[in-house]
Amino acid sequence: MGELKLMKGNEALAEAAIRAGADGYFGYPITPQSEVIEYLMAEKPWERTGMVVLQAESEVASINMLYGGGGTGKKVMTSSSSPGISLMQEGISYLAGAEIPCVVVNVVRGGPGLGDIQPSQSDYFQSVKGGGHGDYRLPTLAPSSVQEMSDFVPVAFDLAFKYRTPVLIVSDGLIGQMMEKVELFDPIPRWTDEEIVEMHPWATNGKPKGGERRIMTSLYLDPHVLEEHNYKLQRKYAEITKNEVRYELLDAEDADYLFVAYGSSSRIAQKSVKLAREKGIKVGLLRIISLWPFASEIINEFTEKGIKGFLSVEMSAGQMVEDIKLAVNGRTKVEHFGRLGGVIHSPEEVLEALEQKLIGG
Amino acid sequence: MGELKLMKGNEALAEAAIRAGADGYFGYPITPQSEVIEYLMAEKPWERTGMVVLQAESEVASINMLYGGGGTGKKVMTSSSSPGISLMQEGISYLAGAEIPCVVVNVVRGGPGLGDIQPSQSDYFQSVKGGGHGDYRLPTLAPSSVQEMSDFVPVAFDLAFKYRTPVLIVSDGLIGQMMEKVELFDPIPRWTDEEIVEMHPWATNGKPKGGERRIMTSLYLDPHVLEEHNYKLQRKYAEITKNEVRYELLDAEDADYLFVAYGSSSRIAQKSVKLAREKGIKVGLLRIISLWPFASEIINEFTEKGIKGFLSVEMSAGQMVEDIKLAVNGRTKVEHFGRLGGVIHSPEEVLEALEQKLIGG
Amino acid sequence: MAELSVQEIIKPENLVYQKTKLMTDKALSYCPGCGHGTAHRITMEVIEELGKENDTIGIAPVGCSVLAYEFMNVDMQEASHGRAPAVATAIKRLWPNKVVFSYQGDGDLAAIGTAETIHACNRGENIVMIFINNGIYGMTGGQMAPTTMIGMKTSTSPFGRDVALHGHPLKITELVAQLPGTRFVTRHSVHTPAAARKTKRAIKKAFEAQIAGVQGTAFIEIVSNCNSGWKMTPIDSNNWMAENMFPFYPIGDIKVDGKLIEK
Amino acid sequence: MAELSVQEIIKPENLVYQKTKLMTDKALSYCPGCGHGTAHRITMEVIEELGKENDTIGIAPVGCSVLAYEFMNVDMQEASHGRAPAVATAIKRLWPNKVVFSYQGDGDLAAIGTAETIHACNRGENIVMIFINNGIYGMTGGQMAPTTMIGMKTSTSPFGRDVALHGHPLKITELVAQLPGTRFVTRHSVHTPAAARKTKRAIKKAFEAQIAGVQGTAFIEIVSNCNSGWKMTPIDSNNWMAENMFPFYPIGDIKVDGKLIEK
Amino acid sequence: MAKVRGAIVVDVEGCKGCGVCVPACPTEVIELAAEVNGKGYHFAYMENPEACTGCTNCAVVCPDGVITVYRAKKTA
Amino acid sequence: MAKVRGAIVVDVEGCKGCGVCVPACPTEVIELAAEVNGKGYHFAYMENPEACTGCTNCAVVCPDGVITVYRAKKTA
Amino acid sequence: MTEEIIIAGFGGQGVLSMGKILAYSGIMQDQEVSWMPSYGPEMRGGTANVTVIVSDERISSPTLSFFDTAVILNQQSMDKFEETVKPGGVLLYDPNGISKHPTRTDITIYKIEGARLAAEMGNTKIFNMVVLGAYLKVKPIVKLENVIKGLKKSLPERYHKLIPLNEDAITMGMKNVVKI
Amino acid sequence: MTEEIIIAGFGGQGVLSMGKILAYSGIMQDQEVSWMPSYGPEMRGGTANVTVIVSDERISSPTLSFFDTAVILNQQSMDKFEETVKPGGVLLYDPNGISKHPTRTDITIYKIEGARLAAEMGNTKIFNMVVLGAYLKVKPIVKLENVIKGLKKSLPERYHKLIPLNEDAITMGMKNVVKI
Ligand SMILES: Cc1ncc(C[n+]2csc(CCOP(=O)(O)OP(=O)(O)O)c2C)c(N)n1
Ligand SMILES: Cc1ncc(C[n+]2csc(CCOP(=O)(O)OP(=O)(O)O)c2C)c(N)n1
Ligand code: SF4
Ligand code: SF4
Ligand code: SF4
Ligand code: SF4
Ligand code: SF4
Ligand code: SF4
Ligand SMILES: [Mg+2]
Ligand SMILES: [Mg+2]
């Protein structure tokens, strides 16, 4: 068993980056995730593992530092919160286009605009659909505990390198600021330069002797070539969709209804399940772990099995609910319950929503 | 009848801005829309109408100039293409949050990343779902002709001020670069400063004598206040959804199938309708004009009437098709046909897709 | 001779100083002793003295002074992080007869907003830029700013700013003074009555030129304390500032009437 | 004495100059006479002469030289518009023993990328920045750049750059020379053999210092032509450049070994 | 000889007890109270009121603008 | 006395006829051809080959790097 | 066993670290814990509160509307949190600075003169440990030895010499808590 | 009537403006028109082409795979566009610089020595007007008077003095077009 600690989500994430063998972190402070860079600067991983930590001049610089670093085959990461992530959208689109592995963490806060600094989930659409320009997708992991803030970092790096893609970790102010017990995984050594050169022949870290130069680019001036490139990306996304769907089921076997939730909301909903079961309502929880690829298949299965309805529990005006509806395709009821702008729902009101919108409705 | 001209879409848009009584244009060059600022700089509207034109240092600066200008009650506009629009996402979220009217034009090109400079429609998701952070929506108009590049400018300004919201015009390289006959509308005089003060009491253009100061902000530190603000925004979006859906039907009355398309794609699809009708296939075209709010109701009506299927024709990997599916909700077939990365489909292959995916399928 | 009692002095006709009505009644959100409050007040005093209450538009940044709009009793816009100069540019160009100023911290103006700062100054936008340099990101809890001095401890330079790790401190004010678009560039502080009065005169001069239509950007740096970020008492922070920051950020005019001051 | 015939001279043993193999065989996408090609080639010659072919990572910008990666036969990254200095920063910090350079145009480096440029230089990133100043946005069809000179016509300043409308031209090179992080700042051109040779020496000096691990950023401006954007023949554009641009952008070293050159 | 006498009024509830006014007073009029106000701050008050000249120094540096100054001229 | 003689080879199809090499030559060796190459450019060629000293000036400024230079020393 | 606690007071009172020590103690005896602070701009000088949950089971929501126990250390917090104690729950407060004392009758109310006792012990900084002691007397959810272990874990080495003082403070709190 | 034309050649040959004049002429006689250039980096010095549609009806797709007429002015364009002429359609080309002449037999092929004629007229810039004349002879979709009107509309006032020269060039093209 690894080391047991009581840590904030943001701190666990930072420690996990060091332990995951990250080579570099580049970021710009923003609440509620500044603890990530603060922890790293205090921990001095350049002494522990050789990891580079740099406070960039902005989020735009940070994301482009990931482009540079990831493009050389190193494990690089940044973190920010909603407005900062919006600033990164051009860079993220470039990373996707140039197929550069890296990990981007969004500790979501209330929006739009400057909004507030409270936990929110209103960047779902940005994470899994829109965001930057062009047809691309980002594998997106949503931790719902401090443990997962730690555990998902190496998973994210694995996905990033397996598929040569930027990977999102979408957390929020609640998960970032709370402390929980966390079992830290054993440190994974950083790849040596030689290992990187061997493992990632595509990476631009100095042309191999007698070999061909490598290029990181997202530019394909001929539309037919760009189309080919896009088809390649789409095939990759299909592959990811096939392999990388992650979710968790709680009290679902006998359920008449399912809450569908992720991150903080899933913690609240878990309590609501308890409250509901105490009242004799058979509800379970489908906790979405990978926001993309989305757990459409399991939703389909429950639909086929005749579930009476799904309640999407989100701290948003209704975003993930669209993906649930697309999976259900009209075969059963899908409703949404959300609180906005950084307000966290209470377990009681989630249950009430279930009763009103699905059971009563 | 207004003045008849042969113009590029980009030029028509620029001329329309002057005629719509715009007070300011702020932008940064990018292909395929640089003609907008070039036209304005050559036309010197500051001499014609007093309109300000400024080449900004970047798209980030441009969008924040819109924040400043729009926040004073003036009619302001910017234009860019995909990567530049991605850079604007933080600013757009602020504009939505602070409820600042303005018009943002995206002449879409192939992505992701630097991609190419050919026409594309792969920024649909960014326009109508994701983009920036937080729960917001942007009324989005998609012109499909040079005439509409002109006509939609005053419409966009009207929407912007009616609802105090940024409005998107989503065009693409085809519509931007092509020339067509355009009937220019008669110039609408710019509002005088006095008119602005009277019409827009919310605007920050100097505190009224004896009155209260005005504030433009998207910051609401108390989450309950931010939630209230978000509910207000959501009510506004509901209102817009009720009032501002725009679409056009072509050969749809007797149709067994409908192409659903917008912008360039709708022009191609129109030709495909002709080809199909020549072959005796009863297909019509639902041309989407407002990407958001989306024409779900008319899709619902056709579904109710028993249409056999919808084919979403997009220059993307399949984005608008999700909104069609959400509207249809499983009641009939919905398929997607797209070309990627800046390739424009031929009318012939669109028809073929209809035959294979819906008629044969 | 009979001394006057305090009660006899405190009469409306003897009033010599009270908070300008261009500051709202809302309690400032700043930490005790923070220079932002003084900087706000003298700015508003200038606007009042110039009679421009109804013709002024101010731009608040993202930083501790994000809430400047709650306190300054004129029309205000809250800009996104770093972009106040772009916001101010558009407002001034669209309303050339209005008085426009921006108010920004060092993270806002000299980190994320560097491009907007340089370009507004280089275009010579006819605005007043007020720049509060406290060598730290106050609002987000005391992280290193571009202006943080070498050796200075912050939450992201917990062992002191080290050039190899974090780069050099940035003298953005000296930089913008190099640009042909700036007309008046000066550095001040507000930690003593004399300093605050001087700063106010500089601010007034800057606004007067804008009102007179003299072309060029006025850029006023105020070196200020952040006792929370620096983890000091207000008094200590002011002393530390005078001792440690002024040698590196020397107080005084840098450019006047478009000409660099020879040193 | 019998004269040698051309055929007798053209023999492998007499070869004195040929295109470096660090330029690919792909035909350059640049307009006839464009200085980008020469700048590319001398940069690659330096890398070859230093024996760093296998240890170099270059960053291409967005601009006409976006395709530099098609022509420079070393590992290359194509950065987003203006962000090459950030990209280079990360690469150099992660691979301190590799040779890292960025190559950018004036729109890329001095407009949208201003913040990244200033901050990379201010941090003193140990990279070589090559900056092609042709006073225009070549790639997008000849729009005004920050460096466009007063009076110069471009597609967005069709009546000539007018300060009131468009602001001043920006001497970004003089600006970065002010920063403590820059070690070597110099301005050159490649329009004559002598100029190109001098530029090459400067580039070599810059790379040598990087390889030796001398701390600090090297910044090499190359004033260059854009005959397409300027709507001139190549020869005319080079002459126009010498006559009109050099007085404003004077050729020569600005900062050497971390010290500003007194003028 | 005209003697100038001054007095200040501190908005006790607005004062944050930062103490910046204390050294700013050339005649050492001000001190921080031992008691706290509603927000828990040791507010400023005139410890030596007779020394006040109404010079406004304290008010000018008070970050929270909670000092009002009065001045009266009394001809001797 | 050693006389240095040079010669250049222009990659005709790669030449863009920009003419930058022409004034760069100190001995006026180069001119642009009246004919065009496959891309339509009036390519450079040695009009006065005997004057070439192999100084490499032309090659150094050729933006497209299409000039190769040879030099031979012939002792008189 | 699941204990859901809110600790609320001024920023400087050590509210967050009291919660942290409690959470660490839970970990020392193999329980699940969560610690969720209120954060945000009001933290600056203003009030601070933290929700701590110690449980034998996986913890669901780390933020709650209702609590088993509320530890209340200033008036604002009293106004806000008295109502959130579950019927039958516990409210523990320090009367120092409290103007409106709690009035509920469906809960058990305890008082601890933490500020006074800490001052008497000559170190106002151990105020929160006195309160912790009082709490642990009322709700012995963690063993004292585990609290000490937790302290050791959470304090940097150089502060370990202060542990005995902290232990004294806890004992002091345990002794002086008064049921109302 | 709908005429779908592609005009293709080098960048400097006036391909785009020829298309523009044609389109303007269509407007002058109340028809619908569209003009869609290929654009992009290959424009720089390379080939240029424009699709022009003149029609009595609303125009659907402004880009097409097949054309009624192809006007071809260099070899690259011949290689690319010969195949795109609809069976029964027209291919008009200038043989100058053409190495592989068109070979299709299901279309009508015309030749115009535009470059030579323009040179003979002493102004190589009117090359495209000679070709336009040739085209209009073959496909008189717009009246000459409307072309002149279109020219007037599209040229800035200061160039109006050149209109007679342009008219001559058109006439020259009409006279010299040869059916193969
Ligand atoms: C895009 C973006 N990035 C980061 C932040 C977080 N943030 C808020 S204020 C601030 C810095 C404040 O420092 P400064 O400008 O020096 O102002 P101060 O608080 O010191 O007065 C930062 C990084 C943000 N709100 N938006
Ligand atoms: C975000 C973004 N904005 C704008 C553009 C369009 N763009 C491409 S290159 C360029 C400017 C090129 O000018 P410069 O950097 O001077 O290079 P040059 O072509 O002159 O060598 C611009 C504005 C872009 N690609 N991305
Ligand atoms: S954190 Fe610093 S800058 Fe912000 S209010 Fe407090 S003292 Fe002032
Ligand atoms: S457009 Fe200008 S910079 Fe670009 S290749 Fe042509 S001449 Fe060079
Ligand atoms: S300066 Fe103002 S806030 Fe500070 S102690 Fe004095 S009166 Fe109070
Ligand atoms: S007015 Fe002057 S003398 Fe009076 S208390 Fe204030 S500083 Fe002291
Ligand atoms: S090598 Fe020298 S002499 Fe020979 S052609 Fe070139 S420039 Fe002229
Ligand atoms: S410089 Fe090079 S490309 Fe230009 S004409 Fe001479 S040989 Fe040809
Ligand atoms: Mg600061
Ligand atoms: Mg340039």
Side-chain angles (χ1 to χ4, degrees), chain A residues 105-269:
Chain A
V105 183
N106 184 0
V107 182
V108 182
R109 55 190 253 183
L114 195 47
D116 64 15
I117 57 180
Q118 302 305 316
S120 175
Q121 300 184 315
S122 52
D123 299 356
Y124 178 91
F125 273 153
Q126 186 195 52
S127 310
V128 307
K129 313 247 176 200
H133 58 287
D135 280 303
Y136 70 89
R137 299 283 187 164
L138 304 176
T140 301
L141 300 171
S144 73
S145 66
V146 174
Q147 186 64 51
E148 289 184 341
M149 284 292 266
S150 168
D151 294 346
F152 285 4
V153 172
V155 175
F157 275 120
D158 285 350
L159 289 172
F161 279 89
K162 180 166 175 201
Y163 298 103
R164 273 190 65 188
T165 176
V167 172
L168 270 183
I169 293 180
V170 171
S171 174
D172 62 57
L174 188 92
I175 308 290
Q177 293 295 325
M178 79 189 287
M179 286 209 214
E180 287 185 314
K181 183 161 80 175
V182 51
E183 185 183 337
L184 295 171
F185 57 88
D186 290 336
I188 302 162
R190 282 178 57 231
W191 292 325
T192 63
D193 288 356
E194 293 68 34
E195 284 171 334
I196 290 173
V197 166
E198 202 184 305
M199 295 164 64
H200 309 307
W202 50 264
T204 52
N205 40 40
K207 184 168 70 168
K209 288 220 165 67
E212 288 288 302
R213 76 188 188 294
R214 283 76 55 96
I215 293 164
M216 290 290 120
T217 188
S218 61
L219 176 69
Y220 297 90
L221 278 170
D222 180 330
H224 293 280
V225 178
L226 182 57
E227 185 174 50
E228 254 331 301
H229 176 63
N230 264 288
Y231 283 133
K232 181 184 154 204
L233 293 179
Q234 292 298 323
R235 284 192 298 273
K236 170 163 92 177
Y237 300 146
E239 191 72 11
I240 297 174
T241 303
K242 208 175 71 194
N243 302 337
E244 308 296 348
V245 172
R246 286 168 166 79
Y247 61 85
E248 186 188 18
L249 287 167
L250 265 148
D251 292 326
E253 311 81 58
D254 66 336
D256 292 329
Y257 301 93
L258 278 184
F259 293 126
V260 187
Y262 68 93
S264 296
S265 281
S266 72
R267 296 291 292 262
I268 316 292

Side-chain angles (χ1 to χ4, degrees), chain B residues 99-132:
Chain B
E99 300 187 85
I100 293 181
C102 63
V103 175
V104 177
V105 182
N106 184 0
V107 182
V108 181
R109 54 190 253 182
L114 195 47
D116 64 15
I117 56 179
Q118 302 305 315
S120 176
Q121 300 185 316
S122 53
D123 298 358
Y124 177 92
F125 274 153
Q126 184 194 53
S127 310
V128 306
K129 313 247 175 201

Side-chain angles (χ1 to χ4, degrees), chain B residues 57 67 207 213-214 216, chain C residues 54 69 73 75 78 123:
Chain B
E57 60 270 36
Y67 187 98
K207 184 168 72 166
R213 77 187 186 295
R214 281 80 53 96
M216 289 292 118
Chain C
N54 303 108
Y69 62 76
N73 198 355
D75 272 7
E78 195 290 302
R123 284 190 303 261

Side-chain angles (χ1 to χ4, degrees), chain B residues 117 179 181 248 267 271, chain H residues 4 31 35 39 58 60:
Chain B
I117 56 179
M179 286 208 214
K181 183 161 82 177
E248 185 188 16
R267 295 290 291 263
K271 180 96 179 180
Chain H
E4 298 171 338
Q31 283 171 298
W35 174 100
Y39 65 97
R58 176 169 163 176
S60 56

Side-chain angles (χ1 to χ4, degrees), chain F residues 8 25-27 29-30 52-58 69:
Chain F
I8 64 170
C25 175
T27 53
V29 172
I30 313 178
C52 178
T53 62
C55 70
T56 75
N57 271 10
C58 54
V69 185

